[in-house]
Amino acid sequence: MQPEIGKSEFIINEDGTIFHLHLRPEQISSKIILVGDPARVTQVASYFDSIECEVSNREFHTITGIYNKKRLTVLSHGIGGDNIDIVLSELDALANIDFETRTVNKKLKSLTLVRIGTSGALQPDIPLGSYVISEKAIGYENVLYFYKNNEKIRDLSFEEAFSASLGTLSKDFHPYVVQASLPLLNQIANKDVLKGITISANGFYGPQGRTLRIPLQAPDINKSIEAFSFDGKRICNYEMEGASLIGLAALMGHQAVTICCIIANRYYKEMNVNYKDKIDGLIKKVIDRI
């Protein structure tokens, strides 16, 4: 007999929905597209042939519908790995916990999770408007360390080499490295997508080597990252959620990848704020391939 999960741990709203996402189990598909911006949910769903349900609460906007005979859910997660902890935990609960008995289902479901994001390239040969899918992700936030058995899904040798490259910064934090789902990676990627290593930073400014007024502790950090390689693989880009998504999904038994549209090149200090057409192209690729 499975133990009942307490009301303060597994929180169900009065209307029978899960606490933050305000969703019921029947309202999500097993194929889920994740985006940061709530408005981008509408952009993705504009391609759907029909819409089954639409729910919004805080930064979490969800639409489930049909595209080309496939049932898909698109959901916004907001910014940062802390939000990914909320979204992944509640999606997993919707898939694998009985809301009546508050017990884990005997038969567990595996979700397919593809995050579509925007990103800044770190290498000079990655142009604006290109697409990068993360083979591995380096997590700057500490979300994964709070969960048991995290070392089983981490690339410990990569972590050691990367931490050594950080110099004095390595004494203050220890980034983790996780591998994306290989079957899903191969399903989503094609010759029109660059595979590479991604850093999931725990902030947009200092953690990504930006400074506006406050000096950085390691002002040349991006130069070190650009030059770093491990097993012939280089770090291609920055974003903020991929590592926590990949790591938590792996611990829960789900498949996850992140694919990003490059809207900035940090090497050349270039930026494109008019990237809607490029994101539309990426959305179409993902909903066709998921």
Side-chain angles (χ1 to χ4, degrees):
M1 184 88 178
Q2 288 277 359
E4 181 178 306
I5 303 172
K7 292 181 180 180
S8 66
E9 315 306 297
F10 175 37
I11 306 170
I12 302 174
N13 299 314
E14 289 184 355
D15 62 358
T17 61
I18 200 158
F19 189 53
H20 294 93
L21 301 185
H22 279 218
L23 295 170
R24 297 183 180 87
E26 66 272 14
Q27 291 179 306
I28 65 165
S29 169
S30 61
K31 296 177 183 289
I32 300 173
I33 296 166
L34 297 166
V35 296
D37 185 354
R40 195 168 292 153
V41 171
T42 305
Q43 188 177 356
V44 174
S46 69
Y47 287 96
F48 290 2
D49 303 312
S50 62
I51 291 176
E52 178 185 313
C53 68
E54 181 170 5
V55 176
S56 290
N57 182 52
R58 303 187 188 187
E59 62 266 62
F60 309 116
H61 180 198
T62 306
I63 296 177
T64 295
I66 303 297
Y67 170 76
N68 197 21
K69 299 181 180 180
K70 294 185 289 190
R71 186 171 184 254
L72 301 177
T73 293
V74 55
L75 165 65
S76 61
H77 52 67
I79 297 175
D82 50 347
N83 272 17
I84 295 296
D85 180 65
I86 292 170
V87 170
L88 260 289
S89 296
E90 294 196 1
L91 285 175
D92 182 72
L94 289 163
N96 291 312
I97 297 177
D98 188 309
F99 275 47
E100 295 295 326
T101 64
R102 294 179 165 274
T103 59
V104 176
N105 297 333
K106 291 182 179 178
K107 186 176 181 181
L108 299 179
K109 294 180 182 177
S110 178
L111 301 174
T112 298
L113 305 155
V114 179
R115 187 180 103 74
I116 298 174
T118 54
S119 183
L122 285 160
Q123 303 294 340
D125 60 334
I126 301 178
L128 300 182
S130 56
Y131 304 135
V132 175
I133 194 165
S134 308
E135 293 180 284
K136 292 180 186 286
I138 303 168
Y140 276 10
E141 36 67 32
N142 294 319
V143 168
L144 205 63
Y145 290 127
F146 286 88
Y147 293 95
K148 192 174 181 179
N149 297 323
N150 65 78
E151 70 282 352
K152 293 182 179 179
I153 63 161
R154 289 162 40 211
D155 188 331
L156 302 179
S157 56
F158 193 126
E159 289 178 9
E160 184 178 356
F162 182 71
S163 292
S165 76
L166 295 176
T168 57
L169 273 182
S170 63
K171 66 179 173 48
D172 295 321
F173 77 120
H174 185 70
Y176 63 86
V177 178
V178 285
Q179 166 70 55
S181 162
L182 289 175
L184 186 57
L185 184 79
N186 292 329
Q187 180 180 332
I188 301 298
N190 210 324
K191 292 181 180 179
D192 52 0
V193 175
L194 173 66
K195 295 179 181 179
I197 310 300
T198 296
I199 291 178
S200 297
N202 56 346
F204 184 77
Y205 289 95
Q208 295 188 36
R210 289 184 175 95
T211 180
L212 301 182
R213 268 195 339 107
I214 306 172
L216 297 177
Q217 182 174 332
D220 294 325
I221 185 64
N222 282 357
K223 290 181 180 179
S224 297
I225 291 170
E226 289 156 14
F228 176 82
S229 67
F230 185 79
D231 283 346
K233 298 286 186 178
R234 61 183 183 161
I235 297 171
C236 292
N237 59 318
Y238 273 128
E239 50 84 75
M240 294 178 65
E241 296 86 19
S244 52
L245 170 66
I246 291 168
L248 290 174
L251 287 175
M252 294 173 181
H254 307 304
Q255 295 188 72
V257 297
T258 285
I259 184 167
C260 288
C261 177
I262 299 299
I263 65 170
N265 186 289
R266 302 297 304 285
Y267 185 89
Y268 290 117
K269 294 183 170 54
E270 295 175 334
M271 180 72 195
N272 174 25
V273 295
N274 300 309
Y275 52 82
K276 184 180 182 297
D277 289 345
K278 289 295 183 179
I279 281 287
D280 274 331
L282 181 54
I283 289 168
K284 191 65 166 59
K285 289 181 192 298
V286 170
I287 61 176
D288 281 337
R289 296 172 187 179
I290 192 173

